[in-house]
Amino acid sequence: MSASNDPIMDFKYIAEQNSFEIATVDELGGGDINEVFLITTTKAEKFVVKVNDAKEFPGMFQSEMEGLQTLAQTGCIKIPKPIHTGEFDDKAYLLLEYVPTGKQGNDFWENFGSQMACLHQHTAKEFGFNKDNYVGSLPQKNSWSEDPVEFYITCRLAPQLKLAEENKYDLGISKYFIRNVSENIPDEPPSLIHGDLWNGNLLITSKGEPCLIDPAVAYAPREMDLAMMKLFGGFDHRLFSAYNEAFPLERGFEERLPLWQLYYLLVHLNIFGKGYLNQVNNIIRRYN
């Protein structure tokens, strides 16, 4: 939904549902899934609203809202407050707190590392989440499991491998693949993870502090977040040092990075196409 010649009218329903009057609407961009706008009210309040196709992505914003609330309840790191979600004209929307951005403060990376360690120390009895959600534009399964191996194989790798097969990618997985992957997953308790932590989902607040957006939350192996952060870069080594000091990683973490990155690369393969195929195949060969 692009803003029309009268963008205020486009969002009149949202304004009525949330008891404010709109002064201006400005586009903030977005991606393949969502369009994002900044709403300024007649009282000079600011909100962010995300909009997408309600039929194409059913339940996406309700899941995101619950994920943001779960992250925020830890008190570990700044999370934009989700305010309301609903539908109008076949569109779904999520209304969020507007977080003004700025430059990194002193010890930004060290503080961020400590905050991620704090987040990951929040645990649950089992791996999973109270509902399925999305990673990018793809559904993400979050069935509860007592075992990290079962969770990672059945809720993360298996759905993406099946989709890759449906997309006609020949990944050449051997009969030993699942066993070899399973043997390399550490036996750690579930951690509350962001779940899609590339550098585009990190904001720097006007106070110079980290703020996380667009989560794909689950109680999962904590190394998944760190592996995603290392996959596409943009996170300083001081973050990882501070994290490891606050919440030491199991031995062999660096060697396990490809194991976790395989999931995110499969997601990218299934969304964006064969440009990620070589990376996926290289990792699969390690475990075949």
Side-chain angles (χ1 to χ4, degrees):
M1 159 181 186
S2 297
S4 68
N5 292 331
D6 189 358
I8 293 177
M9 289 300 297
D10 288 341
F11 297 112
K12 183 179 179 181
Y13 174 83
I14 298 176
E16 290 174 348
Q17 291 298 305
N18 292 277
S19 303
F20 59 73
E21 294 184 10
I22 300 175
T24 60
V25 176
D26 298 293
E27 290 193 61
L28 292 177
D32 298 328
I33 311 168
N34 306 316
E35 292 182 272
V36 187
F37 301 88
L38 175 65
I39 291 176
T40 304
T41 73
T42 53
K43 295 183 178 180
E45 297 172 303
K46 293 181 184 288
F47 301 99
V48 170
V49 63
K50 299 171 67 172
V51 182
N52 67 23
D53 188 314
K55 293 180 179 178
E56 189 171 357
F57 305 108
M60 175 179 280
F61 287 147
Q62 183 61 45
S63 296
E64 181 174 343
M65 186 169 188
E66 290 190 26
L68 289 166
Q69 289 169 335
T70 302
L71 294 173
Q73 285 166 3
T74 68
C76 290
I77 193 165
K78 173 65 181 175
I79 304 293
K81 180 182 178 181
I83 298 166
H84 193 252
T85 185
E87 295 183 13
F88 67 103
D89 298 336
D90 296 324
K91 300 293 180 181
Y93 74 88
L94 176 61
L95 188 70
L96 298 159
E97 170 193 7
Y98 168 66
V99 178
T101 57
K103 296 181 179 180
Q104 295 176 11
N106 293 333
D107 301 322
F108 174 84
W109 293 111
E110 290 85 352
N111 292 336
F112 188 14
S114 298
Q115 290 172 346
M116 287 301 299
C118 172
L119 182 67
H120 288 170
Q121 289 177 77
H122 284 261
T123 188
K125 292 182 179 179
E126 295 184 335
F127 294 82
F129 198 56
N130 56 19
K131 63 166 48 183
D132 294 343
N133 50 23
Y134 287 80
V135 56
S137 59
L138 299 181
Q140 180 172 260
K141 185 179 177 182
N142 287 320
S143 302
W144 291 108
S145 173
E146 295 181 356
D147 181 58
V149 172
E150 180 184 8
F151 173 79
Y152 190 60
I153 297 298
T154 62
C155 291
R156 292 296 178 265
L157 288 188
Q160 294 302 323
L161 290 170
K162 180 181 178 182
L163 184 56
E165 182 180 355
E166 293 171 356
N167 289 334
K168 309 300 182 185
Y169 295 115
D170 182 9
L171 302 181
I173 291 177
S174 78
K175 63 181 179 180
Y176 305 108
F177 174 77
I178 296 299
R179 183 196 69 187
N180 293 338
V181 166
S182 300
E183 289 176 349
N184 283 275
I185 293 176
D187 185 19
E188 288 194 301
S191 287
L192 179 60
I193 69 168
H194 176 280
D196 191 15
L197 194 42
W198 65 293
N199 63 4
N201 286 340
L202 167 67
L203 300 180
I204 303 171
T205 72
S206 58
K207 295 181 179 179
E209 299 170 343
C211 176
L212 300 184
I213 61 172
D214 296 350
V217 164
Y219 290 94
R222 60 181 174 131
E223 293 180 353
M224 291 187 69
D225 262 352
L226 304 179
M228 180 58 166
M229 295 165 80
K230 285 178 173 280
L231 179 58
F232 298 115
F235 298 94
D236 191 274
H237 69 92
R238 289 170 289 178
L239 181 159
F240 300 102
S241 296
Y243 178 97
N244 196 46
E245 184 175 338
F247 192 10
L249 290 156
E250 294 286 325
R251 183 178 300 176
F253 165 66
E254 293 291 338
E255 289 72 32
R256 286 190 296 273
L257 284 175
L259 170 70
W260 309 119
Q261 291 172 345
L262 177 59
Y263 171 64
Y264 294 109
L265 288 168
L266 282 166
V267 168
H268 280 72
L269 175 67
N270 287 322
I271 294 175
F272 301 112
K274 63 181 180 180
Y276 293 92
L277 185 58
N278 284 342
Q279 286 173 281
V280 167
N281 279 330
N282 286 340
I283 296 174
I284 287 174
R285 279 194 289 268
R286 291 178 62 132
Y287 296 96
N288 263 346

